[in-house]
Amino acid sequence: MTSAVLVFAALLDYLIGDPWGWPHPVRVMGWVISRLSNLALQYCQNPLSQRLAGIFLGIIVIIGSGLVGWIIVQVAKWVHPFLGIAVESILIASCFAFKSLRNAAMEVLQPLKNGELEPARQVLSNYVGRDTANLSAAEILRAVLETVTENATDGVMAPLFYTIIGAFIPIIGAVPLALAYKASSTLDSMVGYKEAPYTYLGWFSARWEDGLTWLPCRLTVITLSLLSLQPVKVWRICRRDAIKDPSPNSGWSECAYAAVLGVQMGGINWYRGIAKEKPLLGDPIYPITPDSIDQALQLTRYAFLLWLGLAIFLIP
């Protein structure tokens, strides 16, 4: 049954993804995080109280998401076993973001291929935090590739990792761990910033997400290096460049793809008019092209299917 749920969830994400306007667990998580963080910022006026509020915020959202998911699955199974399978598959599929990631990339690339820079910049601004108003075509391509390769870990591979881990724990199951990780990732994306007003409130969420993503990120790097058939080269480049990135995970994820594709990511990005220099990742053997982005997405799919196949083979 667990293997069937994993297959159905993967198929749902591949075929449907996250249709716009449909109910989605992340939207519920985002609503809860927004309300709780606003309350915390309203009533907690000093760094210590905000740090404590951030701990409670993280614990409530992460554990609460897993617990609510577990209850929903148990109720569905009690109504009918097939309903339980359907609900589990839908909830797990909502934690995978491969189709959404691909759709976002294609949405930017389509006008860019037609030579329409301004529409491409406007669409890109919906998916990245950097300033996009003055980006050249090459900079847009780099931004898309960096987004695709960074989110491949926390949006695709890490949720699958915790889904698989949960599948081996009969009492808990796959759904609670997958939703708990998704909640951690959502917290990080909403409040895990060093800038005000989340400097103190979001520190726990940022650190916790870094910790949860650390292992699946390294396993993803190993998987990509094996798929490239040049594991020593990929690992050498990651050891050389990824450690320069201030993030313990995104630099490794991006660098692994850069090494496999033979391109270079990083450089100067602008945020609210302020330049920020990111470390250079990989060697500039080839320029970044739409084909580079397509190859990165294919690599993510192959890695996902490899992990999925191993899980189905190993789950009793």
Side-chain angles (χ1 to χ4, degrees), residues 97-152:
F98 179 78
K99 189 175 182 66
S100 298
L101 196 59
R102 183 177 185 84
N103 287 346
M106 295 303 107
E107 192 178 350
V108 178
L109 292 180
Q110 188 57 51
L112 190 62
K113 290 178 180 178
N114 297 330
E116 301 170 350
L117 278 182
E118 190 55 37
R121 291 166 179 158
Q122 291 176 358
V123 175
L124 179 63
S125 67
N126 296 325
Y127 300 109
V128 299
R130 72 190 71 181
D131 299 341
T132 63
N134 299 311
L135 293 184
S136 65
E139 290 171 324
I140 292 173
L141 288 170
R142 176 167 69 86
V144 174
L145 185 59
E146 288 173 351
T147 300
V148 164
T149 55
E150 177 183 353
N151 287 284

Side-chain angles (χ1 to χ4, degrees), residues 40-316:
L41 291 171
Q42 180 180 354
Y43 292 104
C44 302
Q45 301 297 325
N46 60 72
L48 177 59
S49 62
Q50 288 186 3
R51 284 181 182 272
L52 292 174
I55 293 174
F56 285 112
L57 172 66
I59 291 173
I60 289 171
V61 174
I62 293 171
I63 295 180
S65 297
L67 181 60
V68 169
W70 184 84
I71 292 172
I72 291 173
V73 169
Q74 297 307 311
V75 171
K77 287 180 176 179
W78 177 77
V79 174
H80 196 282
F82 287 158
L83 179 61
I85 292 174
V87 169
E88 278 190 282
S89 301
I90 293 170
L91 288 176
I92 292 173
S94 72
C95 296
F96 301 151
F98 179 78
K99 189 175 182 66
S100 298
L101 196 59
R102 183 177 185 84
N103 287 346
M106 295 303 107
E107 192 178 350
V108 178
L109 292 180
Q110 188 57 51
L112 190 62
K113 290 178 180 178
N114 297 330
E116 301 170 350
L117 278 182
E118 190 55 37
R121 291 166 179 158
Q122 291 176 358
V123 175
L124 179 63
S125 67
N126 296 325
Y127 300 109
V128 299
R130 72 190 71 181
D131 299 341
T132 63
N134 299 311
L135 293 184
S136 65
E139 290 171 324
I140 292 173
L141 288 170
R142 176 167 69 86
V144 174
L145 185 59
E146 288 173 351
T147 300
V148 164
T149 55
E150 177 183 353
N151 287 284
T153 293
D154 55 20
V156 181
M157 300 305 294
L160 177 60
F161 173 81
Y162 285 102
T163 297
I164 293 171
I165 295 298
F168 282 95
I169 307 175
I171 297 177
I172 297 178
V175 168
L177 260 64
L179 287 176
Y181 177 80
K182 202 68 176 179
S184 175
S185 180
T186 306
L187 276 163
D188 181 57
S189 65
M190 291 184 67
V191 301
Y193 300 102
K194 294 181 180 179
E195 295 80 13
Y198 301 116
T199 306
Y200 304 106
L201 181 68
W203 74 273
F204 177 83
S205 297
R207 299 296 182 276
W208 193 250
E209 199 273 343
D210 285 343
L212 289 177
T213 307
W214 191 92
L215 180 56
C217 178
R218 271 63 185 176
L219 292 175
T220 299
V221 171
I222 293 172
T223 304
L224 293 172
S225 70
L226 294 174
L227 288 172
S228 74
L229 303 180
Q230 296 179 311
V232 175
K233 171 193 169 185
V234 173
W235 192 255
R236 175 180 58 79
I237 293 175
C238 287
R239 288 286 299 168
R240 184 193 71 192
D241 296 342
I243 58 174
K244 301 173 187 175
D245 196 285
S247 169
N249 298 310
S250 63
W252 281 85
S253 183
E254 291 178 32
C255 192
Y257 283 91
V260 174
L261 298 173
V263 301
Q264 188 174 75
M265 289 185 267
I268 297 177
N269 297 332
W270 292 82
Y271 299 88
R272 299 177 184 175
I274 300 174
K276 182 177 180 181
E277 188 167 357
K278 301 271 286 183
L280 296 176
L281 307 173
D283 298 321
I285 301 171
Y286 306 107
I288 297 174
T289 65
D291 285 341
S292 306
I293 296 165
D294 187 63
Q295 290 172 33
L297 290 166
Q298 290 290 352
L299 281 168
T300 304
R301 177 177 295 166
Y302 295 150
F304 181 92
L305 291 175
L306 179 59
W307 285 20
L308 183 67
L310 287 174
I312 292 171
F313 177 76
L314 294 174
I315 290 174

